[in-house]
Amino acid sequence: MTKIDLLTADPLKKKTGALVLGLFEEEKTLSPLLSSVDSALGGEIARMRKNGEIRGKAGETTLLPTYGRLSARFLLLAGLGKAGSVTSESLRKASGSAAAVLRSRNIPEAVTTLALGSADPVADTEAVVEGTLLSLYRFETYKSDREEAPYALKSLSVAAEKKDEKAAETGRRFGEVISRNTILARDLGNHPANVATPTMIAKTAEEEARKRGITFLSYDREKLDRMGLNALVGVARGSDEPARLIVLEYRPDKPANDRPFLLVGKTLTFDSGGISLKPADKMELMKGDMSGGAAVLGTILSVADLGLPVHVVAVMPATENMPSGRANKPGDVVKAYNGTTIEIINTDAEGRLILADALSFGIRTYHPRLVVDVATLTGAVVVALGGQALGILGNNEELIERTRKVGEATGERGWPLPLFEEYFDQIKSDVADIRNTGSKGGAGTITGAAFLHHFVDETPWVHLDIAGTAWVDSNEPYKPKGNVGMGVRLMTHLVKDLAEHPLAEAEKAAAKGGRKARRA
Ligand code: BES
Ligand code: MN
Ligand code: ZN
């Protein structure tokens, strides 16, 4: 991975391969930094700008040799779009585009000024670091003739003002840690399902947990059967690949929260649909159906790496969903860990089954203050929000709104969908307590969340449906085609935010002696 450090000295004086400068669209005057670079280059930037040869549009990059007129061998101008519309996310994208150019030109080191003089040096430095590291990511494990250096950019100095040094260093550290663990999540999602099995994911989680003093537990199918996690075991029974329930606990010395935050991630290592078999077209993408689990793993590792004073438990139900003589059949009824009986109408609605048990097991075992679950749960969320936002649902308005805000700030945006009482009618069963798919068509994402609600009761809970955002089918500025590692950034910041500013309701409940918060 590219080495990243801070530079508080004059970025124009540093001898380096390339100097990265941001350029706004439709800006009349050049920034002081751009002006001094412009005069060193004999007014060339102003000239190109006047001719419309460079515009500063978002995504635009212009690489210019400096012929010894600057300490940097090259100048790389990165378009930022209109000045008024710049956000951390646009800096993340511009940094990603810049890093791609630096790599393609084999430039080993560079200085970036994209976060220099920012009004929010913590968030913007983090964004520049993430944009760079996440853009350079490649998954080439199975390529026989790999590129020589997958991370050609060896080191990057992020320029910051002296007065912002502490803030920028915080941002740098967050960016580095979150990127590293996002890359771990991406790798797990990009490995084929014959490699990233529940066993392999458990082993990875165990090794990473051990390095950080995180407690690791794993339950196999026989144990889960004895414990009564029948909804999870039912799905696992159709597959020959051993299933696991993976549990990680990070408990720092003086946590801000007495009771933990519980993170639950769908870790379905291959979703064939089971007896309700999926069509062949694009089925290979279902190796990524474990992205929710990878996200909670990446999050708890980040929390530990950053030493955040937050008590966190991550639960990952890991299994395949396969058709076989022992698989769930439409019409089968299973009794979940919390006693709810479920009629399985469609074996392809398996994510909610394994999450049901993971949620109620996690809640009963760890008495969390709140729960976040994350899952590639429904194709319907792709219809509703496409690749631009994840679905946010839950039982606590404040938690939903806080999640939306953190999503906005971190560039992993989500948008709320309702959970009106009437939607719960859609999962009433004739033979059991509930059914696993809606009796009426429509609102598939909501039906999935309504189902999960039966397993969280009163605990403040938010559900993130990432089916539309977990992977991309073409390259985006800092998201190479493939798995995105979606959710690590959002959840790491959400956990931090909730520890620093507890939910008002949870505070009230704690004051009343630990009574659980009510459903909103
Ligand atoms: N893993 C899928 C959801 C999915 C779809 C993820 C597209 C990523 C991209 C999930 O298990 C599933 O099959 N859901 C069904 C539910 C239906 C049977 C009620 C769906 O969305 O079609
Ligand atoms: Mn499915
Ligand atoms: Zn699935």
mmCIF file of all heavy atoms in Angstrom, residues 264-302:
data_model
loop_
_atom_site.group_PDB
_atom_site.id
_atom_site.type_symbol
_atom_site.label_atom_id
_atom_site.label_comp_id
_atom_site.label_asym_id
_atom_site.label_seq_id
_atom_site.Cartn_x
_atom_site.Cartn_y
_atom_site.Cartn_z
ATOM 1 N N VAL A 264 -24.282 -6.557 12.867
ATOM 2 C CA VAL A 264 -24.580 -7.871 12.298
ATOM 3 C C VAL A 264 -24.490 -7.771 10.774
ATOM 4 O O VAL A 264 -25.102 -6.878 10.180
ATOM 5 C CB VAL A 264 -25.993 -8.347 12.719
ATOM 6 C CG1 VAL A 264 -26.315 -9.700 12.085
ATOM 7 C CG2 VAL A 264 -26.098 -8.434 14.244
ATOM 8 N N GLY A 265 -23.706 -8.639 10.147
ATOM 9 C CA GLY A 265 -23.522 -8.552 8.697
ATOM 10 C C GLY A 265 -23.817 -9.860 7.989
ATOM 11 O O GLY A 265 -23.268 -10.920 8.343
ATOM 12 N N LYS A 266 -24.661 -9.817 6.973
ATOM 13 C CA LYS A 266 -24.989 -11.002 6.174
ATOM 14 C C LYS A 266 -23.732 -11.521 5.478
ATOM 15 O O LYS A 266 -23.137 -10.829 4.663
ATOM 16 C CB LYS A 266 -26.061 -10.657 5.135
ATOM 17 C CG LYS A 266 -26.367 -11.773 4.138
ATOM 18 C CD LYS A 266 -27.493 -11.397 3.172
ATOM 19 C CE LYS A 266 -27.704 -12.448 2.088
ATOM 20 N NZ LYS A 266 -28.729 -12.045 1.094
ATOM 21 N N THR A 267 -23.340 -12.760 5.803
ATOM 22 C CA THR A 267 -22.112 -13.334 5.263
ATOM 23 C C THR A 267 -22.464 -14.574 4.442
ATOM 24 O O THR A 267 -22.050 -15.689 4.746
ATOM 25 C CB THR A 267 -21.138 -13.658 6.424
ATOM 26 O OG1 THR A 267 -21.146 -12.569 7.364
ATOM 27 C CG2 THR A 267 -19.715 -13.852 5.932
ATOM 28 N N LEU A 268 -23.261 -14.356 3.401
ATOM 29 C CA LEU A 268 -23.733 -15.451 2.557
ATOM 30 C C LEU A 268 -22.681 -15.615 1.444
ATOM 31 O O LEU A 268 -22.597 -14.804 0.530
ATOM 32 C CB LEU A 268 -25.113 -15.050 2.010
ATOM 33 C CG LEU A 268 -26.128 -16.148 1.671
ATOM 34 C CD1 LEU A 268 -25.666 -16.973 0.491
ATOM 35 C CD2 LEU A 268 -26.463 -17.031 2.866
ATOM 36 N N THR A 269 -21.859 -16.663 1.565
ATOM 37 C CA THR A 269 -20.676 -16.722 0.692
ATOM 38 C C THR A 269 -21.001 -17.093 -0.749
ATOM 39 O O THR A 269 -20.215 -16.801 -1.643
ATOM 40 C CB THR A 269 -19.610 -17.677 1.259
ATOM 41 O OG1 THR A 269 -20.201 -18.970 1.398
ATOM 42 C CG2 THR A 269 -19.106 -17.190 2.609
ATOM 43 N N PHE A 270 -22.143 -17.739 -0.974
ATOM 44 C CA PHE A 270 -22.649 -17.856 -2.354
ATOM 45 C C PHE A 270 -24.149 -18.084 -2.330
ATOM 46 O O PHE A 270 -24.628 -19.027 -1.696
ATOM 47 C CB PHE A 270 -21.972 -18.986 -3.140
ATOM 48 C CG PHE A 270 -22.407 -18.969 -4.583
ATOM 49 C CD1 PHE A 270 -21.934 -17.990 -5.455
ATOM 50 C CD2 PHE A 270 -23.356 -19.877 -5.055
ATOM 51 C CE1 PHE A 270 -22.380 -17.930 -6.781
ATOM 52 C CE2 PHE A 270 -23.801 -19.813 -6.376
ATOM 53 C CZ PHE A 270 -23.310 -18.839 -7.236
ATOM 54 N N ASP A 271 -24.872 -17.225 -3.038
ATOM 55 C CA ASP A 271 -26.334 -17.318 -3.061
ATOM 56 C C ASP A 271 -26.820 -17.820 -4.412
ATOM 57 O O ASP A 271 -26.957 -17.056 -5.362
ATOM 58 C CB ASP A 271 -26.942 -15.945 -2.737
ATOM 59 C CG ASP A 271 -28.464 -16.012 -2.639
ATOM 60 O OD1 ASP A 271 -29.006 -17.139 -2.629
ATOM 61 O OD2 ASP A 271 -29.089 -14.941 -2.553
ATOM 62 N N SER A 272 -27.070 -19.140 -4.487
ATOM 63 C CA SER A 272 -27.614 -19.714 -5.721
ATOM 64 C C SER A 272 -29.134 -19.546 -5.747
ATOM 65 O O SER A 272 -29.759 -19.792 -6.771
ATOM 66 C CB SER A 272 -27.279 -21.203 -5.779
ATOM 67 O OG SER A 272 -28.059 -21.896 -4.819
ATOM 68 N N GLY A 273 -29.702 -19.154 -4.617
ATOM 69 C CA GLY A 273 -31.152 -19.092 -4.492
ATOM 70 C C GLY A 273 -31.708 -20.332 -3.780
ATOM 71 O O GLY A 273 -32.803 -20.317 -3.263
ATOM 72 N N GLY A 274 -30.911 -21.417 -3.789
ATOM 73 C CA GLY A 274 -31.401 -22.668 -3.188
ATOM 74 C C GLY A 274 -32.396 -23.339 -4.128
ATOM 75 O O GLY A 274 -32.274 -23.218 -5.343
ATOM 76 N N ILE A 275 -33.378 -24.031 -3.585
ATOM 77 C CA ILE A 275 -34.382 -24.710 -4.420
ATOM 78 C C ILE A 275 -35.127 -23.688 -5.301
ATOM 79 O O ILE A 275 -35.452 -23.967 -6.450
ATOM 80 C CB ILE A 275 -35.367 -25.516 -3.535
ATOM 81 C CG1 ILE A 275 -34.624 -26.630 -2.783
ATOM 82 C CG2 ILE A 275 -36.515 -26.092 -4.367
ATOM 83 C CD1 ILE A 275 -33.963 -27.685 -3.659
ATOM 84 N N SER A 276 -35.343 -22.499 -4.783
ATOM 85 C CA SER A 276 -35.893 -21.404 -5.609
ATOM 86 C C SER A 276 -34.716 -20.805 -6.395
ATOM 87 O O SER A 276 -34.349 -19.633 -6.228
ATOM 88 C CB SER A 276 -36.553 -20.341 -4.743
ATOM 89 O OG SER A 276 -37.374 -20.907 -3.751
ATOM 90 N N LEU A 277 -34.145 -21.647 -7.251
ATOM 91 C CA LEU A 277 -32.874 -21.331 -7.926
ATOM 92 C C LEU A 277 -32.924 -20.031 -8.728
ATOM 93 O O LEU A 277 -33.910 -19.739 -9.404
ATOM 94 C CB LEU A 277 -32.548 -22.510 -8.868
ATOM 95 C CG LEU A 277 -31.132 -22.592 -9.439
ATOM 96 C CD1 LEU A 277 -30.102 -22.798 -8.339
ATOM 97 C CD2 LEU A 277 -31.061 -23.760 -10.439
ATOM 98 N N LYS A 278 -31.842 -19.262 -8.654
ATOM 99 C CA LYS A 278 -31.735 -18.039 -9.440
ATOM 100 C C LYS A 278 -31.465 -18.382 -10.907
ATOM 101 O O LYS A 278 -30.884 -19.422 -11.190
ATOM 102 C CB LYS A 278 -30.561 -17.192 -8.917
ATOM 103 C CG LYS A 278 -30.805 -16.497 -7.590
ATOM 104 C CD LYS A 278 -29.604 -15.640 -7.205
ATOM 105 C CE LYS A 278 -29.803 -14.983 -5.851
ATOM 106 N NZ LYS A 278 -30.904 -14.008 -5.813
ATOM 107 N N PRO A 279 -31.772 -17.463 -11.830
ATOM 108 C CA PRO A 279 -31.364 -17.667 -13.225
ATOM 109 C C PRO A 279 -29.835 -17.630 -13.356
ATOM 110 O O PRO A 279 -29.164 -17.030 -12.507
ATOM 111 C CB PRO A 279 -31.989 -16.486 -13.972
ATOM 112 C CG PRO A 279 -32.803 -15.711 -12.986
ATOM 113 C CD PRO A 279 -32.502 -16.214 -11.618
ATOM 114 N N ALA A 280 -29.294 -18.265 -14.397
ATOM 115 C CA ALA A 280 -27.835 -18.371 -14.546
ATOM 116 C C ALA A 280 -27.171 -17.012 -14.791
ATOM 117 O O ALA A 280 -26.053 -16.766 -14.334
ATOM 118 C CB ALA A 280 -27.498 -19.313 -15.697
ATOM 119 N N ASP A 281 -27.886 -16.119 -15.504
ATOM 120 C CA ASP A 281 -27.297 -14.851 -15.904
ATOM 121 C C ASP A 281 -26.876 -14.034 -14.690
ATOM 122 O O ASP A 281 -27.694 -13.741 -13.820
ATOM 123 C CB ASP A 281 -28.327 -14.073 -16.744
ATOM 124 C CG ASP A 281 -27.699 -12.837 -17.366
ATOM 125 O OD1 ASP A 281 -26.555 -12.947 -17.853
ATOM 126 O OD2 ASP A 281 -28.338 -11.774 -17.347
ATOM 127 N N LYS A 282 -25.582 -13.699 -14.587
ATOM 128 C CA LYS A 282 -25.017 -12.893 -13.498
ATOM 129 C C LYS A 282 -24.993 -13.609 -12.139
ATOM 130 O O LYS A 282 -24.739 -12.988 -11.121
ATOM 131 C CB LYS A 282 -25.766 -11.565 -13.335
ATOM 132 C CG LYS A 282 -25.735 -10.642 -14.564
ATOM 133 C CD LYS A 282 -24.484 -9.772 -14.523
ATOM 134 C CE LYS A 282 -24.253 -9.059 -15.852
ATOM 135 N NZ LYS A 282 -25.270 -8.052 -16.136
ATOM 136 N N MET A 283 -25.285 -14.891 -12.131
ATOM 137 C CA MET A 283 -25.309 -15.566 -10.834
ATOM 138 C C MET A 283 -23.944 -15.516 -10.153
ATOM 139 O O MET A 283 -23.837 -15.524 -8.933
ATOM 140 C CB MET A 283 -25.778 -17.021 -10.959
ATOM 141 C CG MET A 283 -26.316 -17.587 -9.637
ATOM 142 S SD MET A 283 -26.169 -19.340 -9.492
ATOM 143 C CE MET A 283 -27.727 -19.886 -10.154
ATOM 144 N N GLU A 284 -22.881 -15.429 -10.982
ATOM 145 C CA GLU A 284 -21.527 -15.385 -10.418
ATOM 146 C C GLU A 284 -21.331 -14.200 -9.462
ATOM 147 O O GLU A 284 -20.500 -14.255 -8.544
ATOM 148 C CB GLU A 284 -20.472 -15.356 -11.538
ATOM 149 C CG GLU A 284 -20.364 -14.038 -12.313
ATOM 150 C CD GLU A 284 -21.433 -13.869 -13.390
ATOM 151 O OE1 GLU A 284 -22.361 -14.705 -13.480
ATOM 152 O OE2 GLU A 284 -21.356 -12.877 -14.137
ATOM 153 N N LEU A 285 -22.118 -13.152 -9.645
ATOM 154 C CA LEU A 285 -21.985 -11.989 -8.755
ATOM 155 C C LEU A 285 -22.386 -12.323 -7.319
ATOM 156 O O LEU A 285 -22.033 -11.599 -6.384
ATOM 157 C CB LEU A 285 -22.828 -10.822 -9.278
ATOM 158 C CG LEU A 285 -22.391 -10.222 -10.621
ATOM 159 C CD1 LEU A 285 -23.350 -9.127 -11.052
ATOM 160 C CD2 LEU A 285 -20.963 -9.676 -10.520
ATOM 161 N N MET A 286 -23.131 -13.402 -7.158
ATOM 162 C CA MET A 286 -23.611 -13.759 -5.823
ATOM 163 C C MET A 286 -22.512 -14.275 -4.891
ATOM 164 O O MET A 286 -22.756 -14.588 -3.741
ATOM 165 C CB MET A 286 -24.772 -14.753 -5.919
ATOM 166 C CG MET A 286 -26.038 -14.071 -6.386
ATOM 167 S SD MET A 286 -26.515 -12.734 -5.249
ATOM 168 C CE MET A 286 -27.106 -11.519 -6.410
ATOM 169 N N LYS A 287 -21.261 -14.321 -5.396
ATOM 170 C CA LYS A 287 -20.131 -14.536 -4.480
ATOM 171 C C LYS A 287 -19.983 -13.324 -3.553
ATOM 172 O O LYS A 287 -19.374 -13.399 -2.496
ATOM 173 C CB LYS A 287 -18.834 -14.757 -5.270
ATOM 174 C CG LYS A 287 -18.349 -13.511 -6.024
ATOM 175 C CD LYS A 287 -17.013 -13.746 -6.717
ATOM 176 C CE LYS A 287 -16.532 -12.447 -7.392
ATOM 177 N NZ LYS A 287 -15.229 -12.588 -8.018
ATOM 178 N N GLY A 288 -20.548 -12.207 -3.963
ATOM 179 C CA GLY A 288 -20.453 -10.977 -3.157
ATOM 180 C C GLY A 288 -21.557 -10.829 -2.129
ATOM 181 O O GLY A 288 -21.640 -9.804 -1.440
ATOM 182 N N ASP A 289 -22.360 -11.874 -1.953
ATOM 183 C CA ASP A 289 -23.487 -11.785 -1.027
ATOM 184 C C ASP A 289 -23.042 -11.822 0.439
ATOM 185 O O ASP A 289 -23.865 -11.811 1.346
ATOM 186 C CB ASP A 289 -24.481 -12.929 -1.334
ATOM 187 C CG ASP A 289 -25.922 -12.578 -1.008
ATOM 188 O OD1 ASP A 289 -26.236 -11.386 -0.846
ATOM 189 O OD2 ASP A 289 -26.747 -13.519 -0.918
ATOM 190 N N MET A 290 -21.727 -11.848 0.638
ATOM 191 C CA MET A 290 -21.170 -11.805 1.994
ATOM 192 C C MET A 290 -20.661 -10.404 2.340
ATOM 193 O O MET A 290 -19.957 -10.207 3.334
ATOM 194 C CB MET A 290 -20.042 -12.835 2.179
ATOM 195 C CG MET A 290 -19.162 -13.115 0.962
ATOM 196 S SD MET A 290 -18.519 -11.635 0.178
ATOM 197 C CE MET A 290 -17.376 -11.147 1.459
ATOM 198 N N SER A 291 -20.988 -9.422 1.493
ATOM 199 C CA SER A 291 -20.419 -8.085 1.669
ATOM 200 C C SER A 291 -20.821 -7.425 2.995
ATOM 201 O O SER A 291 -20.060 -6.626 3.545
ATOM 202 C CB SER A 291 -20.834 -7.188 0.504
ATOM 203 O OG SER A 291 -20.340 -7.721 -0.714
ATOM 204 N N GLY A 292 -22.005 -7.747 3.494
ATOM 205 C CA GLY A 292 -22.420 -7.193 4.789
ATOM 206 C C GLY A 292 -21.496 -7.678 5.903
ATOM 207 O O GLY A 292 -21.054 -6.905 6.762
ATOM 208 N N GLY A 293 -21.164 -8.968 5.862
ATOM 209 C CA GLY A 293 -20.259 -9.534 6.858
ATOM 210 C C GLY A 293 -18.872 -8.935 6.751
ATOM 211 O O GLY A 293 -18.237 -8.586 7.760
ATOM 212 N N ALA A 294 -18.397 -8.772 5.510
ATOM 213 C CA ALA A 294 -17.080 -8.166 5.308
ATOM 214 C C ALA A 294 -17.071 -6.739 5.857
ATOM 215 O O ALA A 294 -16.074 -6.286 6.426
ATOM 216 C CB ALA A 294 -16.742 -8.168 3.814
ATOM 217 N N ALA A 295 -18.202 -6.053 5.720
ATOM 218 C CA ALA A 295 -18.282 -4.674 6.204
ATOM 219 C C ALA A 295 -18.229 -4.592 7.734
ATOM 220 O O ALA A 295 -17.550 -3.721 8.282
ATOM 221 C CB ALA A 295 -19.554 -4.011 5.690
ATOM 222 N N VAL A 296 -18.914 -5.488 8.422
ATOM 223 C CA VAL A 296 -18.845 -5.428 9.887
ATOM 224 C C VAL A 296 -17.458 -5.858 10.380
ATOM 225 O O VAL A 296 -16.949 -5.311 11.359
ATOM 226 C CB VAL A 296 -19.969 -6.217 10.615
ATOM 227 C CG1 VAL A 296 -21.345 -5.749 10.174
ATOM 228 C CG2 VAL A 296 -19.832 -7.701 10.470
ATOM 229 N N LEU A 297 -16.837 -6.798 9.643
ATOM 230 C CA LEU A 297 -15.471 -7.184 10.002
ATOM 231 C C LEU A 297 -14.537 -5.982 9.831
ATOM 232 O O LEU A 297 -13.787 -5.618 10.747
ATOM 233 C CB LEU A 297 -15.004 -8.365 9.139
ATOM 234 C CG LEU A 297 -13.545 -8.791 9.307
ATOM 235 C CD1 LEU A 297 -13.269 -9.230 10.745
ATOM 236 C CD2 LEU A 297 -13.177 -9.924 8.331
ATOM 237 N N GLY A 298 -14.604 -5.352 8.669
ATOM 238 C CA GLY A 298 -13.765 -4.179 8.406
ATOM 239 C C GLY A 298 -14.006 -3.068 9.423
ATOM 240 O O GLY A 298 -13.085 -2.341 9.805
ATOM 241 N N THR A 299 -15.232 -2.957 9.878
ATOM 242 C CA THR A 299 -15.568 -1.902 10.835
ATOM 243 C C THR A 299 -14.966 -2.171 12.215
ATOM 244 O O THR A 299 -14.321 -1.293 12.798
ATOM 245 C CB THR A 299 -17.101 -1.753 10.951
ATOM 246 O OG1 THR A 299 -17.634 -1.451 9.665
ATOM 247 C CG2 THR A 299 -17.467 -0.645 11.935
ATOM 248 N N ILE A 300 -15.150 -3.372 12.729
ATOM 249 C CA ILE A 300 -14.637 -3.642 14.085
ATOM 250 C C ILE A 300 -13.102 -3.594 14.085
ATOM 251 O O ILE A 300 -12.479 -3.121 15.044
ATOM 252 C CB ILE A 300 -15.214 -4.957 14.677
ATOM 253 C CG1 ILE A 300 -14.989 -4.995 16.195
ATOM 254 C CG2 ILE A 300 -14.637 -6.196 14.008
ATOM 255 C CD1 ILE A 300 -15.780 -6.091 16.909
ATOM 256 N N LEU A 301 -12.482 -4.013 12.981
ATOM 257 C CA LEU A 301 -11.018 -3.920 12.884
ATOM 258 C C LEU A 301 -10.588 -2.453 12.872
ATOM 259 O O LEU A 301 -9.594 -2.075 13.506
ATOM 260 C CB LEU A 301 -10.515 -4.629 11.619
ATOM 261 C CG LEU A 301 -10.787 -6.143 11.524
ATOM 262 C CD1 LEU A 301 -10.256 -6.697 10.202
ATOM 263 C CD2 LEU A 301 -10.180 -6.904 12.704
ATOM 264 N N SER A 302 -11.358 -1.615 12.178
ATOM 265 C CA SER A 302 -11.029 -0.183 12.130
ATOM 266 C C SER A 302 -11.181 0.460 13.504
ATOM 267 O O SER A 302 -10.337 1.258 13.928
ATOM 268 C CB SER A 302 -11.936 0.547 11.124
ATOM 269 O OG SER A 302 -11.728 0.044 9.821
#
